[in-house]
Every structure is written in C-alpha cells, then in structure tokens.
Coordinates of all heavy atoms in Angstrom, one line a residue:
M12 N 314.8 9.2 228.3 CA 313.8 10.0 227.6 C 312.5 9.9 228.2 O 312.0 8.8 228.3 CB 313.8 9.6 226.1 CG 312.6 10.1 225.3 SD 312.8 11.5 224.1 CE 314.4 11.3 223.4
P13 N 311.8 11.0 228.6 CA 310.5 10.9 229.2 C 309.4 10.3 228.2 O 309.5 10.6 227.0 CB 310.2 12.3 229.6 CG 311.5 13.1 229.5 CD 312.3 12.3 228.6
L14 N 308.5 9.6 228.8 CA 307.4 9.1 227.9 C 306.4 10.2 227.6 O 305.9 10.3 226.5 CB 306.7 8.0 228.7 CG 305.6 7.2 227.9 CD1 306.3 6.5 226.7 CD2 304.9 6.2 228.8
L15 N 306.2 11.2 228.5 CA 305.3 12.3 228.3 C 306.1 13.6 228.2 O 307.1 13.7 228.8 CB 304.3 12.4 229.5 CG 303.4 11.2 229.8 CD1 302.5 11.6 231.0 CD2 302.6 10.8 228.6
H16 N 305.6 14.5 227.4 CA 306.2 15.8 227.3 C 305.1 16.8 227.7 O 304.0 16.8 227.1 CB 306.6 16.0 225.8 CG 307.6 15.0 225.4 ND1 309.0 15.2 225.7 CD2 307.5 13.9 224.7 CE1 309.6 14.2 225.2 NE2 308.8 13.3 224.6
R17 N 305.5 17.7 228.6 CA 304.5 18.6 229.2 C 304.1 19.6 228.2 O 304.9 20.4 227.7 CB 305.1 19.2 230.5 CG 304.2 20.1 231.2 CD 304.8 20.6 232.5 NE 305.3 19.6 233.4 CZ 304.5 18.9 234.2 NH1 303.2 19.2 234.2 NH2 305.0 18.0 235.0
L18 N 302.8 19.7 228.0 CA 302.2 20.7 227.1 C 301.3 21.7 227.9 O 301.0 22.8 227.4 CB 301.4 20.1 226.0 CG 302.2 19.2 225.0 CD1 301.3 18.6 224.0 CD2 303.3 20.0 224.3
A19 N 300.9 21.2 229.1 CA 299.9 22.0 229.9 C 300.5 22.2 231.3 O 301.4 21.4 231.7 CB 298.6 21.3 230.0
R20 N 300.0 23.1 232.0 CA 300.4 23.4 233.4 C 301.9 23.7 233.5 O 302.5 23.6 234.5 CB 300.1 22.2 234.3 CG 298.6 21.9 234.5 CD 298.4 20.9 235.6 NE 298.8 19.6 235.3 CZ 298.0 18.7 234.7 NH1 296.8 19.0 234.4 NH2 298.5 17.5 234.5
T21 N 302.4 24.3 232.4 CA 303.9 24.6 232.4 C 304.2 25.7 233.4 O 305.3 25.9 233.9 CB 304.4 24.9 231.0 OG1 303.6 26.0 230.5 CG2 304.3 23.7 230.1
G22 N 303.2 26.6 233.6 CA 303.4 27.7 234.5 C 302.8 27.5 235.9 O 302.9 28.4 236.8
N23 N 302.3 26.3 236.2 CA 301.8 26.0 237.5 C 303.0 25.9 238.5 O 304.1 25.6 238.2 CB 301.0 24.7 237.5 CG 299.6 24.8 237.0 OD1 299.3 25.8 236.3 ND2 298.8 23.8 237.2
P24 N 302.7 26.1 239.8 CA 303.7 26.0 240.8 C 304.4 24.7 240.8 O 303.8 23.7 240.5 CB 302.9 26.2 242.2 CG 301.7 27.0 241.8 CD 301.4 26.5 240.4
V25 N 305.7 24.7 241.1 CA 306.5 23.5 241.2 C 306.2 22.7 242.5 O 306.0 23.3 243.5 CB 308.0 23.8 241.1 CG1 308.9 22.6 241.4 CG2 308.4 24.5 239.8
I26 N 306.0 21.4 242.3 CA 305.8 20.5 243.5 C 307.1 19.6 243.6 O 307.4 19.0 242.6 CB 304.6 19.6 243.2 CG1 303.3 20.4 243.0 CG2 304.4 18.6 244.4 CD1 302.8 21.2 244.2
F27 N 307.7 19.7 244.7 CA 308.9 18.9 245.0 C 308.5 17.5 245.6 O 307.7 17.5 246.5 CB 309.9 19.6 245.9 CG 310.4 20.9 245.3 CD1 309.8 22.1 245.6 CD2 311.5 20.8 244.4 CE1 310.3 23.3 245.0 CE2 312.0 22.0 243.8 CZ 311.4 23.2 244.1
F28 N 309.1 16.5 245.1 CA 308.9 15.1 245.6 C 310.2 14.3 245.4 O 311.1 14.8 244.7 CB 307.7 14.5 245.0 CG 307.8 14.2 243.5 CD1 308.1 12.9 243.1 CD2 307.7 15.1 242.5 CE1 308.2 12.6 241.7 CE2 307.8 14.9 241.2 CZ 308.0 13.6 240.8
T29 N 310.2 13.1 245.9 CA 311.3 12.2 245.6 C 310.7 11.0 244.9 O 309.6 10.5 245.2 CB 312.2 11.8 246.8 OG1 311.4 11.0 247.7 CG2 312.7 13.0 247.5
L30 N 311.5 10.4 244.0 CA 311.2 9.2 243.3 C 312.3 8.2 243.5 O 313.4 8.4 243.0 CB 311.0 9.5 241.8 CG 310.6 8.3 240.9 CD1 309.3 7.8 241.3 CD2 310.6 8.8 239.5
D31 N 312.0 7.2 244.3 CA 313.1 6.2 244.7 C 314.3 6.9 245.2 O 315.5 6.6 244.9 CB 313.4 5.3 243.5 CG 312.2 4.5 243.0 OD1 311.5 4.0 243.9 OD2 312.1 4.3 241.8
G32 N 314.1 7.9 246.0 CA 315.1 8.7 246.7 C 315.7 9.8 246.0 O 316.6 10.5 246.5
V33 N 315.4 10.0 244.7 CA 315.9 11.0 243.9 C 315.0 12.2 243.9 O 313.8 12.1 243.6 CB 316.1 10.5 242.4 CG1 316.6 11.6 241.5 CG2 317.0 9.3 242.4
P34 N 315.6 13.4 244.3 CA 314.8 14.6 244.2 C 314.2 14.9 242.9 O 315.0 14.9 241.9 CB 315.7 15.7 244.7 CG 316.8 15.0 245.4 CD 317.0 13.7 244.7
C35 N 312.9 15.3 242.8 CA 312.3 15.5 241.5 C 311.3 16.7 241.6 O 311.0 17.1 242.7 CB 311.5 14.3 241.1 SG 312.4 12.8 240.8
E36 N 310.9 17.2 240.5 CA 309.9 18.2 240.4 C 308.7 17.9 239.5 O 309.0 17.3 238.4 CB 310.5 19.5 239.9 CG 311.6 20.1 240.7 CD 312.2 21.3 240.1 OE1 311.7 21.8 239.1 OE2 313.2 21.8 240.7
G37 N 307.5 18.2 239.9 CA 306.3 18.1 239.1 C 305.7 19.5 239.1 O 306.3 20.5 239.5
R38 N 304.4 19.5 238.7 CA 303.7 20.7 238.7 C 302.3 20.5 239.4 O 301.7 19.5 239.3 CB 303.4 21.2 237.2 CG 304.6 21.6 236.5 CD 305.1 22.9 236.9 NE 306.3 23.3 236.2 CZ 307.0 24.4 236.3 NH1 306.5 25.3 237.2 NH2 308.0 24.7 235.6
A39 N 301.9 21.6 240.0 CA 300.6 21.5 240.7 C 299.5 21.1 239.7 O 299.5 21.6 238.5 CB 300.3 22.9 241.3
G40 N 298.7 20.2 240.0 CA 297.7 19.7 239.1 C 298.1 18.3 238.5 O 297.2 17.7 237.9
D41 N 299.4 17.9 238.6 CA 299.8 16.6 238.1 C 299.2 15.5 239.0 O 299.1 15.6 240.2 CB 301.3 16.5 238.2 CG 302.0 17.3 237.1 OD1 301.4 17.8 236.2 OD2 303.3 17.3 237.2
T42 N 299.0 14.4 238.3 CA 298.8 13.1 239.1 C 300.3 12.6 239.3 O 301.2 13.0 238.7 CB 298.0 12.1 238.4 OG1 298.7 11.7 237.2 CG2 296.6 12.6 238.0
V43 N 300.4 11.7 240.2 CA 301.7 11.0 240.4 C 302.2 10.4 239.1 O 303.3 10.6 238.7 CB 301.6 9.9 241.5 CG1 302.8 9.1 241.6 CG2 301.3 10.6 242.9
L44 N 301.3 9.8 238.4 CA 301.7 9.1 237.1 C 302.2 10.2 236.1 O 303.2 10.0 235.5 CB 300.5 8.3 236.5 CG 300.8 7.5 235.3 CD1 301.9 6.5 235.5 CD2 299.5 6.9 234.7
T45 N 301.5 11.3 236.0 CA 301.9 12.3 235.0 C 303.3 12.8 235.4 O 304.2 12.9 234.5 CB 300.9 13.5 235.0 OG1 299.6 13.0 234.6 CG2 301.3 14.6 234.1
A46 N 303.5 13.1 236.7 CA 304.8 13.6 237.1 C 305.9 12.7 236.8 O 307.0 13.1 236.4 CB 304.7 14.0 238.6
V47 N 305.7 11.4 237.1 CA 306.7 10.4 236.9 C 307.0 10.2 235.5 O 308.2 10.1 235.1 CB 306.3 9.1 237.6 CG1 307.3 8.0 237.3 CG2 306.3 9.2 239.1
L48 N 306.0 10.1 234.6 CA 306.2 9.9 233.2 C 306.7 11.1 232.5 O 307.2 11.0 231.3 CB 304.9 9.3 232.6 CG 304.5 7.9 233.1 CD1 303.3 7.5 232.3 CD2 305.6 6.9 232.9
C49 N 306.6 12.3 233.1 CA 307.3 13.5 232.5 C 308.8 13.4 232.8 O 309.6 14.2 232.3 CB 306.7 14.7 233.1 SG 305.1 15.2 232.3
L50 N 309.2 12.5 233.7 CA 310.6 12.4 234.0 C 311.3 11.2 233.4 O 312.6 11.1 233.3 CB 310.8 12.3 235.5 CG 310.3 13.5 236.3 CD1 310.2 13.2 237.8 CD2 311.2 14.7 236.0
G51 N 310.6 10.2 233.0 CA 311.2 8.9 232.5 C 310.2 8.1 231.7 O 309.0 8.5 231.5
E52 N 310.6 7.0 231.2 CA 309.8 6.2 230.3 C 309.0 5.1 231.0 O 308.3 4.4 230.3 CB 310.7 5.6 229.2 CG 311.7 4.6 229.7 CD 312.6 4.1 228.6 OE1 312.6 4.7 227.5 OE2 313.4 3.2 228.9
R53 N 309.1 4.9 232.3 CA 308.3 3.9 233.0 C 308.0 4.4 234.4 O 308.6 5.3 234.9 CB 309.1 2.6 233.1 CG 310.4 2.8 233.9 CD 310.6 1.7 234.8 NE 311.8 1.9 235.6 CZ 311.8 2.3 236.9 NH1 310.6 2.5 237.5 NH2 312.9 2.4 237.6
L54 N 306.9 3.8 234.9 CA 306.5 4.1 236.3 C 307.1 3.1 237.2 O 307.6 3.5 238.3 CB 305.0 4.0 236.4 CG 304.4 4.1 237.8 CD1 304.6 5.5 238.4 CD2 302.9 3.7 237.8
R55 N 307.1 1.8 236.8 CA 307.6 0.7 237.7 C 307.9 -0.5 236.8 O 307.8 -0.4 235.6 CB 306.6 0.4 238.7 CG 305.3 -0.2 238.1 CD 304.2 -0.5 239.1 NE 303.1 -1.1 238.5 CZ 303.0 -2.4 238.4 NH1 303.9 -3.3 238.9 NH2 301.9 -3.0 237.8
H56 N 308.3 -1.6 237.4 CA 308.5 -2.8 236.7 C 307.4 -3.8 237.2 O 307.1 -3.8 238.4 CB 309.9 -3.4 236.9 CG 310.9 -2.6 236.2 ND1 311.7 -1.7 236.8 CD2 311.3 -2.7 234.9 CE1 312.5 -1.1 235.9 NE2 312.3 -1.7 234.7
S57 N 306.9 -4.6 236.3 CA 305.9 -5.7 236.7 C 306.5 -6.6 237.8 O 307.6 -7.1 237.7 CB 305.5 -6.5 235.5 OG 304.8 -7.6 235.9
E58 N 305.7 -6.8 238.8 CA 306.1 -7.8 239.8 C 306.1 -9.2 239.3 O 306.7 -10.1 240.0 CB 305.2 -7.6 241.1 CG 303.8 -7.9 240.9 CD 303.0 -6.6 240.5 OE1 303.5 -5.8 239.7 OE2 301.9 -6.4 241.1
F59 N 305.5 -9.5 238.2 CA 305.4 -10.8 237.6 C 306.5 -11.1 236.6 O 307.2 -12.1 236.7 CB 304.1 -11.1 237.0 CG 302.9 -10.8 238.0 CD1 302.1 -9.7 237.9 CD2 302.7 -11.7 239.0 CE1 301.1 -9.5 238.8 CE2 301.7 -11.5 239.9 CZ 300.9 -10.4 239.8
S60 N 306.7 -10.2 235.6 CA 307.6 -10.4 234.5 C 308.9 -9.5 234.6 O 309.8 -9.8 233.9 CB 306.9 -10.1 233.2 OG 306.6 -8.7 233.1
G61 N 308.8 -8.5 235.4 CA 309.9 -7.5 235.5 C 309.9 -6.5 234.3 O 310.8 -5.7 234.2
A62 N 308.9 -6.6 233.5 CA 308.8 -5.7 232.3 C 308.4 -4.3 232.8 O 307.7 -4.1 233.8 CB 307.7 -6.2 231.3
P63 N 308.9 -3.3 232.1 CA 308.6 -1.9 232.5 C 307.1 -1.6 232.2 O 306.5 -2.1 231.3 CB 309.4 -1.0 231.5 CG 309.8 -1.9 230.4 CD 309.8 -3.3 230.9
R64 N 306.5 -0.9 233.2 CA 305.1 -0.6 233.1 C 304.9 0.9 233.2 O 305.7 1.6 233.9 CB 304.3 -1.2 234.2 CG 304.4 -2.8 234.3 CD 303.9 -3.4 233.0 NE 302.6 -3.1 232.7 CZ 302.0 -3.3 231.6 NH1 302.6 -3.9 230.6 NH2 300.7 -2.9 231.4
A65 N 303.9 1.5 232.5 CA 303.6 2.9 232.6 C 302.2 3.2 232.8 O 301.7 4.2 232.4 CB 304.1 3.6 231.3
G66 N 301.5 2.3 233.5 CA 300.0 2.4 233.6 C 299.4 2.0 232.3 O 300.1 1.8 231.3
F67 N 298.1 1.8 232.3 CA 297.4 1.4 231.1 C 296.1 2.2 230.9 O 296.0 2.9 229.9 CB 297.0 -0.1 231.3 CG 296.4 -0.7 230.0 CD1 297.0 -0.9 228.9 CD2 295.0 -1.1 230.1 CE1 296.4 -1.4 227.7 CE2 294.4 -1.6 229.0 CZ 295.1 -1.7 227.8
C68 N 295.2 2.1 231.9 CA 293.9 2.7 231.6 C 293.9 4.2 231.9 O 293.1 5.0 231.4 CB 292.8 2.1 232.5 SG 292.9 2.5 234.2
Q69 N 294.7 4.7 232.8 CA 294.8 6.1 233.2 C 293.6 6.6 233.9 O 293.4 7.8 234.0 CB 295.1 7.0 232.0 CG 296.2 6.5 231.0 CD 297.6 6.5 231.6 OE1 298.0 7.5 232.1 NE2 298.3 5.3 231.5
M70 N 292.7 5.7 234.4 CA 291.5 6.2 235.0 C 291.1 5.3 236.3 O 290.0 5.3 236.7 CB 290.4 6.2 234.1 CG 290.0 4.9 233.5 SD 288.7 5.1 232.3 CE 288.2 3.4 232.1
G71 N 292.1 4.7 236.9 CA 291.9 4.0 238.1 C 291.2 2.6 238.0 O 290.7 2.1 239.0
A72 N 291.2 2.0 236.9 CA 290.4 0.8 236.7 C 291.3 -0.5 236.5 O 290.9 -1.6 236.8 CB 289.5 0.9 235.5
C73 N 292.5 -0.3 236.1 CA 293.3 -1.5 235.6 C 294.3 -2.1 236.7 O 294.8 -3.2 236.5 CB 294.0 -1.3 234.3 SG 295.5 -0.2 234.5
Q74 N 294.6 -1.3 237.7 CA 295.5 -1.8 238.7 C 297.0 -1.8 238.3 O 297.8 -2.5 238.9 CB 295.1 -3.2 239.3 CG 293.6 -3.3 239.6 CD 293.2 -2.5 240.8 OE1 293.9 -2.5 241.8 NE2 292.0 -2.0 240.7
D75 N 297.3 -1.2 237.2 CA 298.6 -1.3 236.6 C 299.6 -0.3 237.1 O 300.8 -0.3 236.8 CB 298.6 -1.2 235.1 CG 299.8 -1.7 234.4 OD1 300.4 -2.7 234.9 OD2 300.3 -1.0 233.5
C76 N 299.1 0.6 238.0 CA 300.0 1.8 238.4 C 300.2 1.9 239.9 O 300.5 3.0 240.3 CB 299.4 3.1 237.8 SG 297.8 3.5 238.6
W77 N 300.1 0.8 240.6 CA 300.3 0.8 242.0 C 301.8 1.2 242.3 O 302.7 0.5 241.8 CB 300.0 -0.5 242.7 CG 298.5 -0.8 242.8 CD1 297.8 -1.6 242.0 CD2 297.6 -0.2 243.7 NE1 296.5 -1.6 242.4 CE2 296.3 -0.8 243.4 CE3 297.7 0.7 244.7 CZ2 295.2 -0.4 244.1 CZ3 296.5 1.1 245.4 CH2 295.3 0.5 245.1
V78 N 302.0 2.1 243.2 CA 303.3 2.4 243.7 C 303.1 2.6 245.2 O 302.0 2.5 245.7 CB 303.9 3.7 243.1 CG1 304.2 3.4 241.6 CG2 303.0 4.9 243.3
Q79 N 304.2 2.9 245.9 CA 304.1 3.0 247.4 C 304.7 4.4 247.8 O 305.5 4.9 247.0 CB 304.9 2.0 248.1 CG 304.3 0.6 248.1 CD 305.1 -0.4 248.9 OE1 306.3 -0.4 248.9 NE2 304.4 -1.2 249.7
L80 N 304.3 4.9 248.9 CA 305.0 5.9 249.6 C 306.0 5.3 250.5 O 305.9 4.2 250.9 CB 304.0 6.8 250.3 CG 303.0 7.5 249.5 CD1 302.0 8.4 250.4 CD2 303.6 8.4 248.4
A81 N 307.0 6.1 250.9 CA 308.1 5.5 251.7 C 307.6 4.9 253.0 O 308.1 4.0 253.5 CB 309.1 6.6 252.0
G82 N 306.4 5.4 253.5 CA 305.8 4.9 254.7 C 305.1 3.6 254.5 O 304.6 3.0 255.5
G83 N 305.0 3.1 253.2 CA 304.3 1.8 253.0 C 302.9 1.9 252.4 O 302.4 0.9 251.9
E84 N 302.3 3.1 252.4 CA 301.0 3.3 251.9 C 301.0 3.1 250.3 O 301.8 3.7 249.6 CB 300.5 4.7 252.2 CG 299.1 5.0 251.6 CD 298.7 6.5 251.7 OE1 299.4 7.2 252.5 OE2 297.7 6.9 251.1
R85 N 300.1 2.2 249.9 CA 300.0 2.0 248.4 C 299.0 3.0 247.8 O 298.0 3.3 248.4 CB 299.6 0.5 248.2 CG 300.6 -0.5 248.7 CD 300.1 -1.9 248.4 NE 300.1 -2.2 247.0 CZ 299.2 -2.8 246.3 NH1 298.1 -3.2 246.9 NH2 299.4 -3.1 245.0
L86 N 299.3 3.4 246.6 CA 298.4 4.3 245.9 C 298.4 4.0 244.4 O 299.4 3.5 243.8 CB 298.8 5.7 246.2 CG 300.2 6.2 245.9 CD1 300.4 6.7 244.5 CD2 300.6 7.3 246.9
R87 N 297.3 4.4 243.8 CA 297.2 4.3 242.3 C 297.8 5.6 241.8 O 297.3 6.7 242.0 CB 295.8 4.2 241.8 CG 295.2 2.8 242.0 CD 293.9 2.8 241.2 NE 293.2 1.5 241.4 CZ 292.3 1.3 242.3 NH1 291.8 2.3 243.1 NH2 291.7 0.1 242.4
A88 N 298.9 5.5 241.0 CA 299.5 6.7 240.5 C 298.7 7.6 239.6 O 298.8 8.8 239.5 CB 300.8 6.3 239.8
C89 N 297.7 6.9 238.9 CA 297.0 7.6 237.9 C 295.8 8.4 238.5 O 295.3 9.3 237.8 CB 296.4 6.7 236.8 SG 295.1 5.6 237.3
T90 N 295.4 8.1 239.7 CA 294.3 8.8 240.3 C 294.7 9.6 241.6 O 293.9 10.2 242.2 CB 293.2 7.9 240.7 OG1 293.7 6.9 241.6 CG2 292.6 7.2 239.4
T91 N 296.0 9.7 241.9 CA 296.5 10.3 243.1 C 297.2 11.6 242.7 O 298.2 11.6 242.0 CB 297.5 9.4 243.8 OG1 296.8 8.2 244.1 CG2 297.9 10.1 245.1
P92 N 296.6 12.8 243.2 CA 297.3 14.0 242.9 C 298.7 14.1 243.5 O 298.9 13.6 244.7 CB 296.4 15.1 243.6 CG 295.1 14.4 243.8 CD 295.4 12.9 243.9
L93 N 299.7 14.6 242.8 CA 301.0 14.8 243.4 C 300.9 15.9 244.4 O 300.3 16.9 244.2 CB 301.9 15.3 242.2 CG 303.4 15.4 242.6 CD1 304.1 14.1 242.9 CD2 304.1 16.2 241.5
T94 N 301.5 15.6 245.6 CA 301.6 16.6 246.6 C 303.0 16.8 247.1 O 303.9 16.0 247.0 CB 300.7 16.2 247.8 OG1 301.1 15.0 248.3 CG2 299.2 16.1 247.4
E95 N 303.2 18.0 247.6 CA 304.5 18.5 248.1 C 305.1 17.5 249.1 O 304.4 17.0 250.0 CB 304.4 19.8 248.7 CG 305.7 20.5 249.1 CD 306.5 21.0 247.9 OE1 305.9 21.4 246.9 OE2 307.7 21.0 248.0
G96 N 306.4 17.1 248.8 CA 307.1 16.3 249.8 C 306.8 14.8 249.8 O 307.2 14.0 250.6
M97 N 306.0 14.3 248.8 CA 305.8 12.9 248.6 C 307.1 12.1 248.4 O 308.0 12.6 247.7 CB 304.9 12.6 247.4 CG 303.5 12.7 247.6 SD 302.6 12.2 246.1 CE 301.0 11.7 246.8
H98 N 307.3 11.0 249.0 CA 308.4 10.1 248.8 C 307.9 8.9 248.1 O 307.4 7.9 248.8 CB 309.1 9.8 250.1 CG 309.7 11.1 250.8 ND1 310.7 11.8 250.3 CD2 309.3 11.7 251.9 CE1 311.0 12.8 251.0 NE2 310.1 12.8 252.0
I99 N 308.0 8.8 246.8 CA 307.4 7.8 246.0 C 308.4 6.7 245.8 O 309.5 6.9 245.5 CB 306.9 8.3 244.7 CG1 305.8 9.4 245.0 CG2 306.3 7.2 243.8 CD1 305.5 10.3 243.8
V100 N 307.9 5.4 246.0 CA 308.8 4.3 245.9 C 308.2 3.4 244.8 O 307.1 2.9 244.9 CB 308.9 3.5 247.2 CG1 309.8 2.3 247.0 CG2 309.4 4.4 248.3
T101 N 309.0 3.2 243.7 CA 308.6 2.3 242.7 C 309.4 1.0 242.6 O 309.0 0.0 242.0 CB 308.7 2.9 241.3 OG1 310.0 3.1 240.9 CG2 307.9 4.3 241.3
Q102 N 310.5 0.9 243.3 CA 311.4 -0.2 243.3 C 311.1 -1.0 244.6 O 311.1 -0.4 245.7 CB 312.8 0.2 243.4 CG 313.2 1.3 242.4 CD 313.6 0.7 241.1 OE1 313.8 -0.4 240.9 NE2 313.6 1.6 240.1
R103 N 310.8 -2.3 244.5 CA 310.6 -3.1 245.6 C 311.9 -3.3 246.4 O 312.9 -3.5 245.7 CB 310.1 -4.5 245.3 CG 308.6 -4.4 244.9 CD 308.1 -5.8 244.6 NE 308.1 -6.5 245.9 CZ 307.3 -7.5 246.1 NH1 306.4 -7.8 245.3 NH2 307.3 -8.1 247.3
R104 N 311.9 -3.1 247.7 CA 313.1 -3.4 248.5 C 313.1 -4.9 248.7 O 312.1 -5.5 248.9 CB 313.0 -2.6 249.8 CG 313.1 -1.1 249.5 CD 312.7 -0.3 250.8 NE 311.3 -0.6 251.0 CZ 310.5 0.3 251.7 NH1 311.0 1.4 252.2 NH2 309.3 0.0 251.9
R105 N 314.3 -5.4 248.8 CA 314.5 -6.8 249.1 C 313.8 -7.2 250.4 O 313.3 -8.3 250.5 CB 316.0 -7.2 249.1 CG 316.7 -7.0 247.8 CD 318.0 -7.8 247.7 NE 318.7 -7.5 246.5 CZ 318.4 -8.2 245.4 NH1 317.5 -9.1 245.3 NH2 319.1 -7.9 244.3
S106 N 313.8 -6.4 251.4 CA 313.2 -6.7 252.6 C 311.7 -6.8 252.6 O 311.0 -7.3 253.5 CB 313.6 -5.7 253.7 OG 313.2 -4.4 253.3
D107 N 311.1 -6.3 251.4 CA 309.6 -6.3 251.3 C 309.1 -7.8 250.9 O 308.0 -8.0 250.8 CB 309.2 -5.4 250.2 CG 309.4 -3.9 250.6 OD1 309.5 -3.7 251.8 OD2 309.3 -3.0 249.7
G108 N 310.1 -8.6 250.5 CA 309.7 -10.0 250.2 C 309.5 -10.1 248.8 O 308.9 -10.4 247.9
Ligands
FES216 S1 296.7 3.2 235.0 FE1 295.0 1.8 235.3 S2 294.6 2.0 237.5 FE2 296.1 3.5 237.1

C-alpha cells in the first residue's frame, strides 16, 4: 500500500524510471521521494537499524532520504526532481560493503 496518494499532477506527463530494477512510473514535477512513496510505503531501510524509512523533513535538511543512482551517484530523494530514465537504487548491494 503506497504511503502517499496522488491528488495533484495527475494529468502531468508520465516519467519512466526504475526502482531497484523494477520499471516504474511517476509524473512530471514529482521529486524522487514523491514518486517512490506513491508506489510503496518506504523509501529505503536504515543503514543502522534496518528499519523502514520514508524521509523526515521533506526539505533537504535531515539526511534521511539518501538513495543512489545505479551509477553510484548519491542524491537526496526529497529535493531531487524525478527525471526520465533514472535508475534509482534503495537497496545496498552486498558488494557495496
Ligand atoms: S527527507 Fe530530510 S533531507 Fe530528505
């Protein structure tokens, strides 16, 4: 069950991206965090406790929403606009340490 339910931008163009390798759709104007939480109930798991996390401040201040792109670039999901073709990684790979 998604944490967020889309009430705005329902008619905006569809933006295609992948989330941990799964093809997904968001809407133009979404942040990465908005798009992910419209699809599920968490953004990632805490690297310390393993607890599910969904961001906290929603304004780039708390550091709770870091995710990666497939190429390794880290980004704050709450302040990064979703763009076509993003490959978002929220699960740490065992080879990442
Ligand atoms: S939710 Fe706080 S920095 Fe993104």
